[in-house]
Structure formats: C-alpha cells, structure tokens
C-alpha cells in the first residue's frame, strides 16, 4: 500500500465555533481542497471526554455536530468532492486507537500540556478519555494514513505525538510490515502539521495573552461564527487595545499583544500578510482601524452565518452529508485496519 498525499483534520462539536476555529483551521481546510483529497471530521468521540454537563448531553451533541458540519459546508468545503463525516460513524477510529494505546508510552502522554490545562487541579477526576485524547487523535489521522493535517498552533504537540506513534509502530512491526507490503517503506506516514497564515493562534478580544476559546465565560472574548453583524461590530468596537497608534512594521507589534491580534485577524480575513496591513494602517488610530475591521469581518462572516442557519434548519440534508461521507471514509479506514490486523497478527475475516 503506497502512501499518497492526503489531508485530514477534525473539529470538536462542543458549541460556540469561533473566529479562531475559522481562521486557524477552516480557512486552510478550504484552501487545501484545491490541491489535495481532504477528509474533514466532526470529532464527536473527542467531545465526550469532558463531563456531560460540559458537552451538554445527547440533544446538544446532535445539534453541535450538525452545526460544525454546516460550518464546514458554509465555509466552502465541497461535501461531494471531499469527505465530511462524524467520527463515531466510522468504528475504525476507536479500533485503531486501542492498538495505538499499546504503542504509545505513558511518559509521552504525561507531557501533554492540553491535558494538564483541561484537567486542571482536579486531575484524579478527569476521564480516562481526556487523558487518552491524543491517542485517538493519532488514530483519526493515521487510519486514513493522512500526510498533512491543517490545525491551529494549539494542536502542534498532539501532532508530534501522532508522529511518534506512527514511527514507533513502524519500528516495532518493521519485519511484519516489510512482509505485508513487500517494501521497506514504513506503513504509516509521519503526518505533517500544516500551521500557516497570519492567524494560527487567535487571541481573546478581551485579553491578548489568552487564546480565543469556546470555553471563555465572556462572550465578548470571541466572535462566534453564528454572530450577526451587530454582535460582530459591538465585539470588535469593545475589543481591548492600547493607546498608541498602529505601527507601520511588524516588529512594532512585538510587545503589543492586543494590537498584534487584531492586525493578525484583519490580515487573515483579507488573505494578505500582516506587513501589507501595517503598511496600509501604520500611524492610524485604533478607532479608524476597527471600523475597517468591522466592515471586513461582517462582509466575510455574515454570509457564512446565514448559510449555517439555512443548513442547520435542514437536519435531514446535513445528516445525509454525514452518512455519505462516513461510507466513503469507512472504505479507506477499513482497508488500513485490515492491514494493521495482518501486521499485528490478529486473525480476521478477509
Ligand atoms: P478544536 O475543536 O479545539 O479546534 C478546531 C480547530 O481550530 C483550531 N483553533 C484555533 N486556531 C487558532 N486560534 C485559536 N484561538 C484556535 N482555537 C482553536 C484548532 O487548532 C483546531 O485546528 N484536537 C482537535 C480536534 C481533532 C483533530 C483530530 C484535529 C481531533 N482529531 C485529528 C486534527 C487531526 C481539537 O480539539 O480541535
């Protein structure tokens, strides 16, 4: 089985999809479809790693799964050309995760900073699933033997773990892999993170040192993809800034977290480098810059919000996209899983 270039990425259906998800991930998902076969997954198995009270229960999970699917489509991903599906419909993700649980080392998982952040002080009470989260994520990617993974910067460490797991599997089973595939190439590719653009880490609008996140209690900290034009305008106008005018060069942003964040957002929405935005707005006051940013954000995001609203009202259509995507995903995943069973030594029906 030769390795071919393939893109995989996932988004959790935990509500409040925001500008960080859009600029850090979805924009790149859309771009990559011009050059690659892409698989985009709503990772519902990951969503339930936090307490039920946090992910909201079955109705909320169904609603959020459809909302993320709608966001994929509304952002411009073509569900006919690419694969869009929800993770729990393809059992091979969980099946490969078990094999990887026996490849990954406890020491590797103990280093995961996101677990430490999410588990907080009450670590004894965190679910095993939350701890094991990055192993399932490695399975998501590798069950399709994907080579490229577009994500925001916060997922970098998880991607490194996926590479370590792929490498260790390839080493542990090298002889069996050679016999199976009649080649000296490793069975799993080492997936590469694709972390590109001026907004790989979008920060809170209230505090430039904190990541924009779905769990921030203040709704003013983030622009939600479902926000209407008034909400977008209000949030940008209230966004924290500093008293200085904008600099004309990027190094002038180094110690100005909030200014840096707003310029990054502008650049990403305009699909231009930050330097170009600064040559346009260098010396300007924030009030003027913010008005331009409101216009740009509303122009780019309102059509997406409207399309999401239209699509989420049609649950039958969204569910049919997921079912069709899952069938196509399963065809690839089952082939990988069958090879993995041969490689590991599990007897199975062929
Ligand atoms: P999730 O659902 O938290 O976020 C989805 C994507 O949005 C990016 N992102 C951001 N980018 C820039 N600035 C921000 N403030 C910001 N917040 C979120 C995330 O980096 C991500 O790309 N573990 C993943 C989901 C996942 C996955 C996978 C991703 C499961 N399996 C396999 C890739 C491959 C997550 O929790 O993303």
């Amino acid at each position: 089985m030769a390795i071919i270039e393939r893109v995989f990425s996932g988004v959790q259906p935990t509500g409040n999809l925001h500008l960080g998800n859009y600029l850090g991930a979805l924009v790149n998902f859309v771009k990559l479809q011009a050059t690659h076969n892409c698989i985009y997954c709503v990772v519902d198995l990951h969503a339930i790693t936090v307490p039920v009270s946090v992910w909201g229960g079955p109705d909320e999970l169904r609603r959020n799964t459809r909302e993320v699917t709608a966001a994929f489509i509304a952002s411009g991903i073509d569900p006919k050309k690419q694969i869009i599906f929800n993770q729990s419909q393809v059992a091979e993700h969980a099946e490969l995760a078990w094999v990887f649980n026996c490849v990954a080392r406890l020491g590797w998982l103990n280093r995961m900073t996101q677990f430490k952040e999410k588990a907080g002080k009450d670590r004894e009470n965190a679910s095993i699933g939350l701890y094991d989260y990055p192993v399932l994520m490695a399975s998501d990617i590798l069950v399709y033997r994907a080579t490229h993974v577009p994500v925001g910067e916060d997922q970098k460490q998880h991607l490194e773990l996926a590479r370590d797991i792929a490498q260790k599997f390839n080493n542990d089973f090298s002889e069996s892999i050679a016999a199976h595939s009649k080649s000296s190439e490793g069975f799993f590719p080492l997936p590469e993170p694709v972390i590109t653009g001026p907004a790989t880490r979008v920060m809170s609008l209230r505090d430039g040192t904190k990541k924009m996140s779905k769990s921030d209690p203040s709704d003013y900290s983030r622009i939600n993809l479902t926000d209407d034009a008034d909400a977008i305008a209000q949030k940008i106008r209230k966004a924290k800034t500093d008293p200085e005018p904008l600099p004309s060069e990027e190094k002038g942003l180094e110690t100005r977290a909030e200014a840096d964040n707003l310029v990054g957002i502008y650049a990403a929405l305009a699909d231009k480098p930050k330097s170009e935005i600064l040559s346009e707005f260098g010396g300007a006051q924030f009030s003027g810059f913010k008005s331009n940013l409101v216009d740009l954000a509303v122009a780019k995001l309102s059509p997406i919000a409207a399309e999401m609203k239209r699509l989420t009202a049609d649950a039958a259509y969204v569910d049919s996209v997921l079912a069709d995507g899952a069938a196509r995903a399963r065809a690839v995943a089952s082939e990988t899983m069958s090879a993995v069973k041969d490689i590991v030594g599990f007897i199975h029906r062929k």
Side-chain angles (χ1 to χ4, degrees):
M1 283 167 82
I3 288 169
I4 50 165
E5 283 209 351
R6 184 179 274 138
V7 168
F8 179 93
S9 197
V11 175
Q12 292 197 65
T14 38
N16 290 340
L17 266 184
H18 54 72
L19 189 62
N21 301 126
Y22 180 66
L23 297 177
L26 294 180
V27 165
N28 291 327
F29 292 7
V30 173
K31 283 190 179 161
L32 282 163
Q33 39 173 10
T35 47
H36 288 78
N37 288 326
C38 304
I39 305 180
Y40 296 127
C41 183
V42 187
V43 291
D44 48 9
L45 298 176
H46 278 108
I48 66 165
T49 55
V50 291
V52 186
S53 57
V54 176
W55 58 264
D59 289 337
E60 190 72 6
L61 184 60
R62 276 185 281 267
R63 201 184 71 77
N64 289 334
T65 301
R66 292 183 182 125
E67 188 172 284
V68 174
T69 310
F72 283 172
I73 302 169
S75 301
I77 298 163
D78 182 343
K80 290 219 164 66
K81 294 208 180 98
Q82 314 300 339
I83 294 179
I84 296 179
F85 75 108
N86 59 311
Q87 190 183 24
S88 62
Q89 292 210 59
V90 181
E92 283 80 0
H93 289 241
E95 200 176 6
L96 183 59
W98 182 260
V99 176
F100 283 172
N101 276 335
C102 303
V103 173
R105 306 289 92 182
L106 215 51
W108 299 357
L109 285 177
N110 284 339
R111 285 196 286 275
M112 295 294 114
T113 54
Q114 194 156 317
F115 172 75
K116 291 178 197 165
E117 280 162 26
K118 285 199 180 170
K121 288 201 182 73
D122 194 9
R123 203 179 292 190
E124 291 289 306
N125 205 25
S127 74
I128 307 281
L130 188 67
Y131 184 74
D132 201 31
Y133 180 114
V135 176
L136 179 59
M137 187 166 154
S139 312
D140 297 340
I141 300 163
L142 293 169
V143 83
Y144 304 101
R145 305 204 310 153
T147 52
H148 293 83
V149 185
V151 281
E153 209 171 281
D154 61 344
Q155 297 300 316
K156 199 169 167 203
Q157 195 186 33
H158 289 160
L159 260 293
E160 278 156 18
L161 185 91
R163 293 168 66 89
D164 288 344
I165 291 176
Q167 179 96 61
K168 188 166 187 322
F169 182 95
N170 289 346
N171 289 344
D172 286 357
F173 296 102
S174 57
E175 281 176 28
S176 179
I177 291 169
H180 180 268
S181 55
K182 299 179 184 59
S183 110
S184 57
E185 203 180 27
F187 179 71
F188 286 117
L190 305 189
E192 278 180 38
V194 181
I195 304 175
T196 53
T200 56
R201 188 173 171 80
V202 177
M203 308 308 276
S204 156
L205 299 179
R206 308 300 294 156
D207 177 351
T209 63
K210 273 195 347 201
K211 200 177 70 172
M212 184 178 284
S213 117
K214 356 188 168 194
S215 55
D216 195 313
S218 165
D219 201 49
Y220 275 92
S221 68
R222 64 180 162 264
I223 293 174
N224 301 306
L225 284 190
T226 49
D227 281 347
D228 61 21
D230 283 349
I232 295 174
Q234 262 197 19
K235 287 175 180 181
I236 292 177
R237 286 206 195 95
K238 280 196 195 266
K240 191 175 167 204
T241 50
D242 57 43
E244 302 295 318
L246 282 157
S248 46
E249 284 177 24
E250 265 186 90
K251 64 176 185 312
L253 291 172
E254 272 164 19
T255 53
R256 299 173 66 186
E258 284 83 15
D260 189 21
N261 190 37
L262 291 181
V263 171
I265 290 172
Y266 194 111
L269 285 170
D271 200 15
K272 288 179 182 165
K274 279 197 222 175
S275 56
E276 212 171 299
I277 307 308
L278 290 176
S279 60
E280 192 178 332
F281 289 100
Q285 297 297 327
F286 274 105
S287 52
F289 174 73
K290 279 182 170 180
S291 307
N292 282 280
L293 181 54
V294 167
D295 291 346
L296 177 62
V298 168
K300 292 275 171 182
L301 302 176
S302 293
I304 297 175
E307 182 65 357
M308 279 174 70
K309 205 166 170 188
R310 192 185 71 78
L311 288 165
T312 45
D314 190 352
Y317 168 71
V318 173
D319 292 3
S320 75
V321 166
L322 292 173
D324 172 65
R328 289 188 283 143
R330 217 175 285 127
V332 183
S334 64
E335 205 185 323
T336 305
M337 210 48 228
S338 168
V340 166
K341 285 178 180 169
D342 287 337
I343 289 165
V344 174
F346 295 143
I347 294 170
H348 65 107
R349 187 163 53 104
K350 295 201 177 167

